[in-house]
Amino acid sequence: LFAALPSFSPGGNLTFTPTAGIAGTSDISVTMADNSRPAAGLMYVTHRMTIVVQDVNDIPTFSLLESFVSVGTNSAIQRFTVVSDMSAGSPSEDCSVPGMTGCHRQKLSFIVEALSDSLLFLIPPRIDATTGELVLSPGADASGVSSLTVTLIDDGVLNINTTSNPGCIRPEDSTWGGRTGNGANVPCLIGERARGTVGRNAAAPVTLWVQV
């Protein structure tokens, strides 16, 4: 949980550095000792405290392999691997670290929009967020060039139903009462998120070109 462990200054200031991309809770014990009177022995007092590193929804990322593809007129369904290395943004959002607890695997999706010439396609272009394949089918006797904008989004399912933030809500309906009777520290179901927390996030859009 910590890149630099918690420590106290003589003035009582607590400092620590969280590990990037990791969220969770840590209980620590703090002991103050006084040895100003050796004859009386060491005097000390210990208190316990909890440090909570809250999760935030990191921006998903991917790599663009190809920005231009070409297909033949009247071709069947075509598939091109145009993107790779899709990531939800951090280990706590894709459970990529073995044995990690408290992570919640987010669902990734590519949004294809701003298609400049939709008449070129019998099946509009889409990108599979698992394989990175651009899938399309040109229209009958169609020819030309079309641009399209591609954005990778996550579903924001990374938060925990906690005592301080009870209940889970659907991302598309922030007023929904949610499941409040399932107790605290229970992961929200897929398609829900903890009330009052961040929702979905998106990578910067990129532009692709398709020639038929």
Side-chain angles (χ1 to χ4, degrees), residues 11-81:
N13 293 319
L14 170 65
T15 60
F16 60 89
T17 302
T19 301
I22 303 297
T25 301
S26 180
D27 294 324
I28 64 173
S29 296
V30 183
T31 300
M32 183 174 66
D34 181 3
N35 196 28
S36 60
R37 298 175 59 192
L42 181 66
M43 307 296 290
Y44 63 90
V45 60
T46 299
H47 291 284
R48 294 183 61 82
M49 64 181 298
T50 300
I51 298 175
V52 179
V53 179
Q54 294 185 331
D55 210 340
V56 296
N57 192 358
D58 292 308
I59 296 174
T61 60
F62 68 97
S63 299
L64 180 64
L65 301 178
E66 301 287 346
S67 61
F68 182 88
V69 298
S70 178
V71 300
T73 302
N74 297 324
S75 300
I77 295 178
Q78 301 292 301
R79 298 177 181 271
F80 304 90
T81 301

Side-chain angles (χ1 to χ4, degrees), residues 18-161:
T19 301
I22 303 297
T25 301
S26 180
D27 294 324
I28 64 173
S29 296
V30 183
T31 300
M32 183 174 66
D34 181 3
N35 196 28
S36 60
R37 298 175 59 192
L42 181 66
M43 307 296 290
Y44 63 90
V45 60
T46 299
H47 291 284
R48 294 183 61 82
M49 64 181 298
T50 300
I51 298 175
V52 179
V53 179
Q54 294 185 331
D55 210 340
V56 296
N57 192 358
D58 292 308
I59 296 174
T61 60
F62 68 97
S63 299
L64 180 64
L65 301 178
E66 301 287 346
S67 61
F68 182 88
V69 298
S70 178
V71 300
T73 302
N74 297 324
S75 300
I77 295 178
Q78 301 292 301
R79 298 177 181 271
F80 304 90
T81 301
V82 295
V83 296
S84 65
D85 303 323
M86 288 73 72
S87 170
S90 74
S92 64
E93 296 171 17
D94 60 17
C95 302
S96 58
V97 177
M100 175 180 284
T101 60
C103 64
H104 305 284
R105 193 182 306 278
Q106 292 185 343
K107 181 180 179 181
L108 299 176
S109 303
F110 278 102
I111 302 299
V112 177
E113 53 191 355
L115 193 60
S116 64
D117 191 351
S118 60
L119 296 179
L120 286 179
F121 306 100
L122 177 64
I123 298 177
R126 64 177 179 85
I127 295 182
D128 189 308
T130 300
T131 65
E133 288 184 328
L134 171 66
V135 182
L136 59 89
S137 179
D141 300 323
S143 64
V145 177
S146 178
S147 64
L148 55 137
T149 301
V150 177
T151 305
L152 180 65
I153 67 170
D154 62 39
D155 62 358
V157 182
L158 57 85
N159 295 292
I160 289 289
N161 173 27

Side-chain angles (χ1 to χ4, degrees), residues 181-196:
N182 59 343
N185 299 320
V186 176
C188 297
L189 297 177
I190 296 299
E192 301 173 354
R193 62 180 172 85
R195 180 180 288 107

